[in-house]
Amino acid sequence: MFVSDSILLQRDKFLILMNFEHEIVWENAQVYEEVYKNSIKDPNEFWMRYVKDIAWKRVPNSAYDNEKKEWLFGGVTNVCYNCVDRHAAKTSEKTAIIWHGDEENERREISYAELQQMVIQIASILKSHGIKKNDVVGIYMPMTPEAVASMLACARIGAIHLVVFAGFSPEALKYRLTTSNAKALLTITSFRRGGKEIKLAKNIPSDFDIDVINLDNISFSNNAEAGIEWQTSEDNLFILYTSGSSGTPKGVLHSALPYMLYVATTFKVIFGIRRDDVYFCTSDIGWITGHSYITYAPLFHGLTTVIFSGSPTYPQADRYWKIIEQEKVSIFYTAPTAIRSLQMFNKKLVKKHDLSSLRVLGTVGEPINKSAWKWYFETVGNKKCPIMDTWWQTETGGIILAPLRNLEQTPGVAGKPFFGVETDIIDGELVIKNKFPGLYKAIVHEHTTPDDALYKTGDGAVYQGTDVKIKGRMDDVINISGHRLGTAEFECAINKVSEVKESAVVAIPDELKGQTAFAYVVLTSPLERNDFAEIVKKIVNSTRNNIGSIAKPDYIVFVPDLPKTRSGKIVRKLLRNLANGGENLPELHSVINSEVIKILKVSVKNPIFCPDMCKLK
Ligand code: WT7
């Protein structure tokens, strides 16, 4: 355990500061235990306190209606109204969004009044294109105020937004828009990242029949036509695709009002926000973090949210630190993979900036290793800021685990369930046993809803004392630099290469990215050794074209066959084990072509490193 005196001291200070605007008093562990116990016994009482933070057109009778089995039943309001209009009315001049672009001098400030005008403008464009309540609208945009405003514009008119990460390929974009029945797509022509121009509009397949709305020249206007569509407990806010065990990504549907209650409350309590906070989250609106904790939660509370569309290492690896200094950021939320990559650069790049405005640090997306935690705590936080290691998922909408009782902190231990959420570990898997407002409503094209009794997270976990430590995914999901990708998605893309007969992809640890993809590939006919470079390139290109450049396998081994069971199932456990250097091979008796194991054992030690191979020629 890593316990620092200074964090204990600072934690006390933090606790006092938190009392400033909060009713929950975090003096000691017992307070957490008590508030938690009551929140499970009577979730209604707990959530009703935070239902009051929402500006209602009609107030719901209770937080959870047992009969209707619905959160906020009877309540009427609108998510955009809560995130924009009510602040534009009261604190119109306050900065809602600070944007930093790719170049260091690119900066914009958008006040709540201006954000409202921008949202109304986009909403009226959507309406003029015939978009109505419940229509699905794609958003394929980089990190700009317009992208955030596009999400809010959909929320305003009751349309369901579907953000597709701007790094996803044309195929991935098309799949998401088609399977969710999207009516229109908001995009811009191009943007710059890391000094390079990225031509986004070119990625929209020309044979694809969808109403493309280009927002290159959006102006502020006050068009009364784009009025607010009031939402009830049954209405939806967005669909966001993520990877599961099946071959194709799944479209996760979230409600409007219960989701808003969950993200607003977790944000308020876990980060201990104050009205004057300047908050900077380095995620992207293409991921759930960018939905919940760049857009909705900070704007709901009327804070200033900083967004950045550049690369953290361009022109130098101090962009985050520079932005924190310049904007006096008080809460900074990033991913372990970003910390690890910035940790490699000279400490001076951090130390030359005044980061004393920081009060709370957060991480999300993957387990944080000790060395990254220590560096974040000492070098970035100057041993003064608690680190909120937050565990959650696209499906949970908002944070589930955090060091909520953090009188002391252990690197890599996310800690305690949020109030009103009952977690458990069953057969090594983290599960959620009760209803909470953040949980997704459905997987759109599969027409499935979450299991009533138990939500299985797919993550392995263990108790460390009474805290929960996350071990990582138990299913066929790979977490590469905090990006969640399915092994089956990789395999589909690899199998599209005409020389490939079949493939199996497994996750292996990677110092920088957390995990990376290791591919076993069987070819239709044997190749000469010097022909491999061509095939490797084809494989890498196919994953890039079908998924996106974030999804390239790093290692490939060409093998004559894959281990299979009598029914023809690939024995993935064995492949996972071998790629991870495993010696104790499981379930060998079920493999019918056991002669292949010997070959696998040898070839697995000599994989082709794709980035090297792709550099050739
Ligand atoms: C998966 C969810 C939550 C927003 C970003 C990712 C892993 C997430 C942590 C953490 C260990 C974590 C889990 C989870 N994960 N946060 N603090 N410690 N693992 O959302 O794309 O839906 O991925 O990310 O494996 O299941 P996502």
Side-chain angles (χ1 to χ4, degrees):
M1 191 185 286
F2 179 86
V3 185
S4 151
D5 287 345
S6 54
I7 197 159
L8 293 179
L9 287 175
Q10 188 57 30
R11 170 50 58 190
D12 285 343
K13 203 162 152 203
F14 174 62
L15 296 172
I16 294 159
L17 289 174
M18 252 181 140
N19 292 345
F20 193 65
E21 283 196 311
H22 288 280
E23 53 272 54
I24 292 178
V25 183
W26 302 87
E27 267 160 3
N28 53 46
Q30 278 84 39
V31 175
Y32 167 82
E33 301 298 349
E34 205 179 300
V35 177
Y36 180 74
K37 219 170 57 210
N38 290 335
S39 76
I40 298 298
K41 222 181 343 173
D42 190 353
N44 243 323
E45 197 225 281
F46 175 80
W47 288 111
M48 272 319 267
R49 286 149 81 165
Y50 297 95
V51 164
K52 294 191 186 108
D53 288 347
I54 297 173
W56 293 100
K57 192 167 163 66
R58 194 172 75 210
V59 184
N61 297 334
S62 59
Y64 188 71
D65 187 309
N66 277 316
E67 226 164 83
K68 299 275 174 198
K69 296 208 179 314
E70 233 171 81
W71 291 97
L72 307 177
F73 181 76
V76 177
T77 187
N78 173 282
V79 172
C80 176
Y81 175 76
N82 273 275
C83 294
V84 181
D85 299 81
R86 66 163 163 167
H87 306 306
K90 272 198 197 143
T91 50
S92 63
E93 295 309 309
K94 181 164 180 182
T95 305
I97 300 174
I98 299 173
W99 171 80
H100 279 256
D102 200 35
E103 299 298 335
E104 289 182 306
N105 56 2
E106 286 180 299
R107 179 182 185 277
R108 286 164 67 193
E109 255 184 47
I110 314 283
S111 70
Y112 273 95
E114 286 167 334
L115 179 62
Q116 184 185 37
Q117 289 172 12
M118 198 190 272
V119 169
I120 289 175
Q121 176 68 7
I122 299 172
S124 61
I125 294 173
L126 287 171
K127 286 205 156 184
S128 71
H129 281 252
I131 298 299
K132 295 183 301 291
K133 187 170 177 181
N134 288 327
D135 283 346
V136 176
V137 176
I139 298 175
Y140 191 47
M141 287 171 83
M143 284 301 293
T144 56
E146 285 74 12
V148 173
S150 295
M151 297 165 76
L152 293 160
C154 290
R156 186 181 194 83
I157 63 168
I160 297 169
H161 61 69
L162 163 64
V163 182
V164 180
F165 176 54
F168 276 128
S169 71
E171 280 306 315
L173 172 68
K174 195 170 162 182
Y175 168 80
R176 285 160 174 76
L177 295 171
T178 320
T179 49
S180 64
N181 237 330
K183 294 267 177 349
L185 177 63
L186 296 168
T187 193
I188 59 166
T189 306
S190 68
F191 67 101
R192 297 184 71 81
R193 190 164 192 275
K196 291 192 203 92
E197 188 179 22
I198 296 163
K199 295 200 169 103
L200 201 57
K202 267 192 145 175
N203 277 354
I204 301 163
S206 53
D207 62 337
F208 184 41
D209 185 25
I210 190 163
D211 184 9
V212 178
I213 306 171
N214 189 299
L215 293 182
D216 279 353
N217 300 306
I218 188 91
S219 56
F220 296 143
S221 95
N222 233 320
N223 186 334
E225 284 299 294
I228 291 171
E229 194 74 45
W230 298 104
Q231 297 162 313
T232 70
S233 59
E234 281 168 59
D235 287 320
N236 301 316
L237 187 61
F238 66 87
I239 300 169
L240 182 64
Y241 279 68
T242 189
S243 298
S245 303
S246 70
T248 47
K250 51 181 189 175
V252 179
L253 177 72
H254 275 283
S255 67
L257 308 184
Y259 164 85
M260 175 170 75
L261 171 66
Y262 193 71
V263 300
T265 307
T266 46
F267 185 71
K268 182 180 187 182
V269 173
I270 292 168
F271 292 117
I273 56 163
R274 293 193 248 152
R275 256 185 268 286
D276 58 355
D277 271 321
V278 177
Y279 167 80
F280 179 20
C281 169
T282 68
S283 184
D284 187 290
I285 54 153
W287 313 114
I288 190 70
T289 310
H291 284 60
S292 305
Y293 300 111
I294 288 181
T295 304
Y296 291 112
L299 295 176
F300 175 93
H301 290 290
L303 301 191
T304 300
T305 181
V306 178
I307 64 175
F308 176 41
S309 68
S311 150
T313 54
Y314 175 84
Q316 273 209 84
D318 66 344
R319 285 305 293 279
Y320 289 167
W321 324 131
K322 218 173 163 156
I323 292 172
I324 293 171
E325 177 175 35
Q326 188 179 346
E327 308 302 349
K328 299 198 167 43
V329 170
S330 50
I331 307 175
F332 181 61
Y333 194 26
T334 193
T337 189
I339 298 167
R340 285 193 299 269
S341 67
L342 295 170
Q343 191 188 352
M344 296 191 324
F345 294 90
N346 195 323
K347 253 188 198 170
K348 277 191 200 144
L349 278 179
V350 188
K351 289 296 168 198
K352 76 176 192 195
H353 298 286
D354 175 8
L355 306 185
S356 59
S357 56
L358 287 173
R359 200 177 84 246
V360 185
L361 298 172
T363 70
V364 61
E366 35 167 343
I368 183 162
N369 51 302
K370 215 176 219 169
S371 131
W373 193 97
K374 253 189 103 184
W375 186 83
Y376 197 33
F377 178 68
E378 288 170 357
T379 309
V380 179
N382 203 15
K383 302 187 187 178
K384 283 195 300 210
C385 307
I387 294 178
M388 290 293 151
D389 176 354
T390 62
W391 179 95
W392 55 295
Q393 308 176 305
T394 305
E395 293 88 334
T396 68
I399 298 167
I400 297 291
L401 298 175
L404 280 166
R405 201 201 51 170
N406 45 6
L407 295 169
E408 50 192 44
Q409 295 202 317
T410 313
V413 178
K416 292 285 182 190
F418 190 68
F419 303 105
V421 185
E422 203 179 348
T423 54
D424 201 353
I425 300 174
I426 298 180
D427 293 333
E429 182 177 13
L430 181 70
V431 299
I432 300 174
K433 296 190 349 194
N434 70 339
K435 301 230 175 221
F436 66 101
L439 191 66
Y440 75 103
K441 276 178 71 179
I443 304 298
V444 279
H445 53 290
E446 290 174 7
H447 306 292
T448 53
T449 53
D451 195 308
D452 246 5
L454 195 71
Y455 171 65
K456 293 184 175 174
T457 68
D459 272 52
V462 286
Y463 283 114
Q464 192 156 317
T466 55
D467 283 349
V468 177
K469 183 180 164 68
I470 297 291
K471 290 170 70 185
R473 298 293 298 200
M474 299 171 82
D475 52 7
D476 294 318
V477 166
I478 312 190
N479 191 331
I480 303 178
S481 300
H483 299 144
R484 179 170 156 187
L485 298 157
T487 54
E489 284 169 67
F490 277 93
E491 291 158 12
C492 287
I494 295 172
N495 296 350
K496 283 191 179 163
V497 175
S498 58
E499 290 88 344
V500 173
K501 188 172 152 210
E502 59 178 343
S503 62
V505 172
V506 298
I508 60 166
D510 182 273
E511 220 174 287
L512 203 60
K513 303 182 204 173
Q515 286 188 324
T516 192
F518 184 108
Y520 294 86
V521 175
V522 182
L523 297 173
T524 46
S525 55
L527 277 186
E528 295 294 326
R529 184 78 210 166
N530 49 10
D531 287 342
F532 283 130
E534 237 5 82
I535 302 280
V536 169
K537 264 190 216 162
K538 280 191 188 175
I539 288 173
V540 169
N541 278 334
S542 186
T543 52
R544 186 185 289 135
N545 295 338
N546 285 289
I547 313 169
S549 45
I550 48 168
K552 287 172 293 198
D554 268 346
Y555 297 93
I556 295 178
V557 282
F558 292 99
V559 292
D561 204 359
L562 297 172
K564 299 221 173 104
T565 62
R566 197 160 297 281
S567 59
K569 250 186 101 184
I570 298 170
V571 187
R572 311 184 59 89
K573 208 169 168 184
L574 171 63
L575 294 174
R576 224 177 283 144
N577 218 295
L578 279 169
N580 283 286
E583 297 296 329
N584 304 324
L585 301 177
E587 291 178 55
L588 292 185
H589 52 273
S590 64
V591 179
I592 51 157
N593 52 344
S594 56
E595 67 286 352
V596 78
I597 297 174
K598 229 194 232 159
I599 307 173
L600 287 174
K601 274 186 182 167
V602 179
S603 41
V604 85
K605 296 216 167 87
N606 262 318
I608 291 170
F609 184 55
C610 304
D612 281 353
M613 192 60 110
C614 291
K615 262 186 243 148
L616 294 176
K617 279 187 266 176

